[in-house]
Amino acid sequence: MSNPDADPWASPLSTAAPDEVALLDDPQEWSAFGKPCTSTPAGADAQASPWESHVVLDGMHCAACALTIEEALRRVPGVAEADVSAATRRARVVWDPRRVRPSQWMGAVQKAGYRALPALDALAREQRQRENRKALWRWLVAGFCMMQVMMYAWPAYQAMPGDLTMEMEQLLRWASWVISLPVVLFACGPFFSSALRDIRQRRVSMDLPVALGMLITFVVSMAGTFDPTGPFGREVYYDSLTMFVFFLLTGRWLELRLRDRTAGALEAVMNRLPDSVERRAEDGSFTRVATRRLQAGDVVRVLPGEAFPADGRILSGGTQADEALLTGESTPVDRPEGSRVTAGSYNLRAPVTVDVLALGSETRFGQIVALMESASLQKPRLAQLADRVARPFLVAVLLAAVLAAVWWWPSDPSHALMVAVAVLIVTCPCALSLATPVAMLTAAGTLARRGVLVRNLQGLEALAAVDTVVFDKTGTLTRDGLALHAVHVAPGAGWGEGEALALASALAAHSLHPASRALASAAQSAAVPAGWTVHAVQELPGAGLVARASSPSHAQETILRLGSAAHARVPAVGGDAGPQVVLSMECEGAAVEIARFVLSEQLRPEVAAVVRGLRAEGVAVELLSGDRAESVQRVAAQAGIGQARGDCTPQDKLAHLQTLQAQGHHVAMVGDGLNDGPVLAGAHVSFAFGRAVPLAQSRSDFVVMGENLALVAQALWLARRTLRIVRQNLWWAAAYNALCVPLAIAGYMPAWLAGLGMALSSLLVVVNAARLARLPDPLSHESSGDCAGAPRAVSTPLEVV
């Protein structure tokens, strides 16, 4: 890191106290910004395995900076991997505690001219806010000085020959020079400090040509001020200098704000845990300690408005919790005494004491954070291409500026230098380096807020090209469990549907079988017919329920049977109606049928709307399931899916996917993530659906945290929109350079206009990507309206009693 005495423009963030960095060498601090690469048992030596740490980087502005930091980290002995993201300004470092300490590889970052801070440390957030305030002050100073310089430059532009005396013109130049000093010494600080760092490290970044342009403009203008009769005395350019500095700072400040609001959503989720929490001591008092100091078995008190620091169980008190991060649903859930709470969810109502059961990476929140950190550091294919182009392009910019200056020097040295300045500034490839990563990370942050975790940023590119979506059935299109689909009362039995259902539920309440639970749930509001009492209920495993019942119309007790047709001793009815439960009673030694109950799996209510929405986007939809073909066809008919196959093993599903891919289709697979590993891995892009997905083992590119299948269609729509915006950004960056570079070389673009063009090009790329922060729900009205009248469920071949 540069010495602040030698670097007068160094930001306070570019200097670090050695004691602060040395504290991070304490193994107890490592968990604050990382985790072991391999799981270690409790009490084991923390230095026994490599660690993966995440840090926030200060002082970087472009893809060339990211490459420089990666190279500096990888040269440190003991650092196995280093990945740096220019868009998020974060780094992932895998290091061996037996060979290197955090202070050493952070020192390597410091020697490269940057600073690394723990990614989950409150200090990093405070310093980032401080730097944002300083950036605002630089912008305000540049804007104020620009207006004053323009006021002094205006007479020279408007005066006719002879209107201004030499003394007056010289006075205006000196006034402009004095007012430009705060701009050069303060507002331009980040550009000059970055350029000096590049020169010391013998490398090129995007700030180097910009700083050279600023310095050349100021030196030429100052030469014209001090020596009006010299070769540079014909004209000064203080107005151009202050204008393009103001434009560049405006673009950077707005870009910073937009990135904090869009792609910064990832960091907001990852920093969800509290920095400290109240822990109960042995004497029963509560003292506030750092969250990273907690251990399993501790008892903590969580106040309203605070996030739960770990997975645990409520010992006393009751509250409501916001678990939107884990479920994608914003509706608070009740958490009474004795219930489980999850790390990262918010306590909304009352203080509670919680017994800590799991911490860090063992919690579901920890797994979510690990996935999001991994995704934020990935470089999509287009971004990797831009990174490779950035450095050669910058070298070409410097050569083009030198050639332009040489070309124009014989005619006018002052004009030649200003042409070189325009070339240096207008061709800075900020827009090119931001085009892809900003859009990708904004889309990933938007999906994360909706309850879809992006495991792989490359998946967004692949998802945009998908033309076929294949769904699994159980746990994906359908919910777990059974539901009552229809009630058929036997003709002439003299029973109403409600009475028959109530009598059946009186028996079903004594069983935990899925069919019994479905009947009991469907008849919650129904009452057993007056005068009927049911007792002595017995369950015959694999057959059904038997009970004794009495009623006013029967002098003696009657035997009731609930189960399969064979168990109820009535004829079976064929057809494809689905599994049935029969209720019968004995009358004079013979079984008399009362009613038949048709059961089904619960089809998610939004399924039909999702299928229609995918088809509207030109996507074919298929269904593959391991269930029996009859059941799969019924589900497909209800969902509106034309292509459906049942009785599929995982190998059959994978073979079908490979057949589709061989035909040229780009396939997305949507499964429950539990038994679809091979097919999820074999698809071009995959979704693991359902809250029961083990995140650490899932092979999918996307994980849907909630219970809404419409998120799959929304993710597809957003991926296509993201790729369109990436292409728009890349085309804009290419067109901008193709148009402006010849104009600057030809001398038709002044320095202030070059600065405005560069700032607007970068800002346009970020603003265009910011549109991805809004994700409309095109299926919400359809799913709530059209699906309301659809049948409640579809049959399944599960065995019934």
Side-chain angles (χ1 to χ4, degrees), residues 443-455:
T446 302
L447 289 173
R449 290 194 301 271
R450 286 297 186 97
V452 180
L453 298 184
V454 182
R455 289 178 55 93

Side-chain angles (χ1 to χ4, degrees), residues 183-206:
V183 176
V184 175
L185 297 178
F186 176 66
C188 296
F191 302 104
F192 288 149
S193 61
S194 180
L196 288 174
R197 181 179 62 214
D198 292 338
I199 293 172
R200 284 195 296 267
Q201 299 291 331
R202 295 188 294 277
R203 63 170 185 261
V204 179
S205 74
M206 293 180 190

Side-chain angles (χ1 to χ4, degrees), residues 28 79 81 99 144 197 270 326 343 365 372 400 404 445 460 478 481 493 498 531 557 563 678 720 767:
Q28 292 188 349
V79 173
E81 299 177 32
R99 301 179 60 194
F144 176 78
R197 181 179 62 214
M270 290 187 281
L326 305 175
F365 173 79
M372 298 180 73
L460 284 170
T478 62
E557 287 185 342
R720 290 185 171 183
V767 170

Side-chain angles (χ1 to χ4, degrees), residues 202-222:
R202 295 188 294 277
R203 63 170 185 261
V204 179
S205 74
M206 293 180 190
D207 279 344
L208 181 58
V210 174
L212 284 176
M214 294 175 180
L215 186 61
I216 292 171
T217 305
F218 184 69
V219 170
V220 168
S221 301
M222 190 166 60

